[in-house]
Amino acid sequence: MMDMGTVKSIEWVGELDGHVAIIDQTLLPAKLVVLKCQDLDTIWEAIKSLRVRGAPAIGIAAAMGLVLGVRREPDQDVATFLKRVDEAADYLASSRPTAVNLFWALDRMRCKARAMGTSSVGEIKRALLEEAKRIREEDAAMCRAIGRCGEQLIKDGAGIMTHCNAGGLATAELGTALAPMYLAHEAGRRFRVFTCETRPLLQGSRLTAWELSQAGIDVTVLCDSMAGWLMARGEVDLVITGADRVAANGDAANKIGTYGLAVLADAHKVPFYVAAPSSSFDRSISSGSRIPIEERDADEIRRGFGRLTAPPDVSCLCPAFDVTPARLIHGLITERGLVQPVNELRIREVLGE
Ligand code: MRU
């Protein structure tokens, strides 16, 4: 199991007057620092700057951030309070555009507040806190179920490639892409994980390598550009990545570089899987072309980790995600089962309407 001691990637500590504790992922692997977030702005900044990151963790952070944003509202009429809930939710929704879990969690919180009918403002606040905690607990359960679904794909002696970090840090527990690896490891299977470093922010080398090695799983970091070379040598039996948003037809947005890996996997006849909970599916959009792709500050490329890594004023492309078309995805590993082949009908059969 991921061994971060007793530290969780994100959790609510205490009662309504408590705080949100998050591991500051920008400092890993050098330092394991837990941030104490007490207000809405701190959570917004933590999401924006990737202190908390990964689609499910962003959703949990937003739900908890919403509670922080409204918990000190005076006991006023419910309509005014619901307006504050909407304002806080709209603000949090402006932090990052691609991971649908953010909007999914905020919608769920808005609906919870509205469904409270004739309750007092105090009761709605407490119900919102319970809902945010439930979103976290459900995510942990979904990750474990994804692990059980995907574990059978990992044979003894396998070489598995992954990209970015879709592990315990990116979720409540265990992760999505990494959950099958944790369970296969627990079951005593031996396998090797290759994690692409994931330029420009290095979630693969900083985070995936850190959490897998903490768990005693054999992990090797490679530069993104080495993936094809490794596949050509026959060392990769399967690829598993996470997703930030899966469209109705199965096209999946994930960290920039995922699409390239899927093309390479296809060229080398390596099965390419995407692991994602139902909260990462956006069935309101027909295909991946409608997924908004976050553009990040070009200085993440020009001044990588504070060092000049390109001429200071050179123009840079900085999309944070790309979309892998369903036809390149061998299967979608979900908490409700394996979607295979990947198409709209099969998604409906496995996930329900
Ligand atoms: O920019 P990030 O680090 O938030 O990107 C994260 C990813 O691309 C993950 O693979 C995805 O969110 C799935 S996390 C279970």
Side-chain angles (χ1 to χ4, degrees), residues 6-24 33-40 42-43 46 60-61 63-69 71-72 129 132-133 136:
T6 50
V7 194
K8 301 249 168 37
S9 53
I10 176 162
E11 68 179 331
W12 185 281
V13 179
E15 304 302 322
L16 194 55
D17 59 353
H19 65 271
V20 181
I22 60 167
I23 293 181
D24 186 342
V33 173
V34 177
L35 290 178
K36 196 170 168 181
C37 306
Q38 317 236 39
D39 57 60
L40 185 65
T42 309
I43 289 283
I60 298 164
M64 294 182 173
L66 181 62
V67 178
L68 293 179
R71 66 175 168 177
R72 300 210 203 291
L129 175 57
K133 288 182 178 171
R136 188 191 176 285

Side-chain angles (χ1 to χ4, degrees), residues 60-349:
I60 298 164
M64 294 182 173
L66 181 62
V67 178
L68 293 179
V70 299
R71 66 175 168 177
R72 300 210 203 291
E73 283 297 315
D75 270 346
Q76 55 207 326
D77 66 288
V78 170
T80 309
F81 179 74
L82 292 180
K83 209 163 153 260
R84 298 285 167 264
V85 168
D86 280 338
E87 284 163 6
D90 288 346
Y91 175 56
L92 286 161
S94 70
S95 56
R96 293 189 78 188
T98 304
V100 75
N101 305 61
L102 175 72
F103 311 100
W104 169 86
L106 290 171
D107 280 350
R108 194 166 144 172
M109 295 294 282
R110 287 186 220 248
C111 287
K112 182 73 199 176
R114 286 201 159 55
M116 292 293 292
T118 54
S119 310
S120 69
V121 165
E123 283 165 338
I124 303 177
K125 287 179 188 172
R126 281 188 292 281
L128 285 175
L129 175 57
E130 286 318 305
E131 191 69 0
K133 288 182 178 171
R134 202 170 301 122
I135 287 174
R136 188 191 176 285
E137 279 158 28
E138 287 175 14
D139 185 63
M142 286 194 287
C143 287
R144 187 158 286 278
I146 286 173
R148 284 194 294 268
C149 174
E151 186 209 341
Q152 18 121 15
L153 302 169
I154 301 177
K155 309 287 177 235
D156 209 46
I160 312 165
M161 185 173 281
T162 190
H163 190 65
C164 194
N165 172 265
L169 287 165
T171 60
E173 278 168 38
L174 287 182
T176 57
L178 300 196
M181 304 179 204
Y182 284 121
L183 295 203
H185 179 66
E186 211 172 56
R189 251 162 282 153
R190 291 167 305 109
F191 54 89
R192 191 168 180 199
V193 181
F194 299 102
T195 178
C196 297
E197 63 177 355
T198 318
R199 285 274 294 143
L201 295 180
L202 308 183
Q203 290 92 330
S205 57
R206 291 189 305 106
L207 308 177
T208 297
W210 180 77
E211 66 166 268
L212 289 181
S213 46
Q214 289 246 323
I217 294 177
D218 181 350
V219 57
T220 301
V221 174
L222 61 150
C223 299
D224 300 341
S225 51
M226 298 169 185
W229 171 84
L230 197 68
M231 287 183 194
R233 284 165 57 108
E235 296 197 37
V236 182
D237 298 294
L238 72 162
V239 181
I240 313 180
T241 72
D244 285 82
R245 193 185 293 226
V246 184
N249 69 345
D251 292 351
N254 191 50
K255 179 54 54 196
I256 189 77
T258 304
Y259 169 52
L261 266 194
V263 171
L264 283 172
D266 187 53
H268 293 90
K269 309 216 170 346
V270 172
F272 182 93
Y273 292 93
V274 170
S278 46
S279 53
S280 297
F281 283 72
D282 180 356
R283 273 146 0 113
S284 73
I285 54 171
S286 54
S287 77
S289 62
R290 298 191 44 213
I291 298 177
I293 299 294
E294 178 181 10
E295 278 282 332
R296 292 193 62 87
D297 189 335
D299 272 352
E300 290 181 354
I301 295 172
R302 283 190 296 241
R303 293 180 168 78
F305 298 94
R307 177 161 178 198
L308 207 58
T309 42
D313 300 317
V314 76
S315 80
C316 291
L317 291 173
C318 209
F321 301 96
D322 56 27
V323 175
T324 299
R327 70 184 153 77
L328 294 177
I329 304 173
H330 207 71
L332 293 166
I333 307 169
T334 78
E335 81 277 15
R336 300 196 195 143
L338 188 64
V339 175
Q340 194 173 42
V342 179
N343 59 44
E344 186 158 2
L345 182 66
R346 189 72 192 122
I347 290 174
R348 274 200 250 127
E349 278 168 7

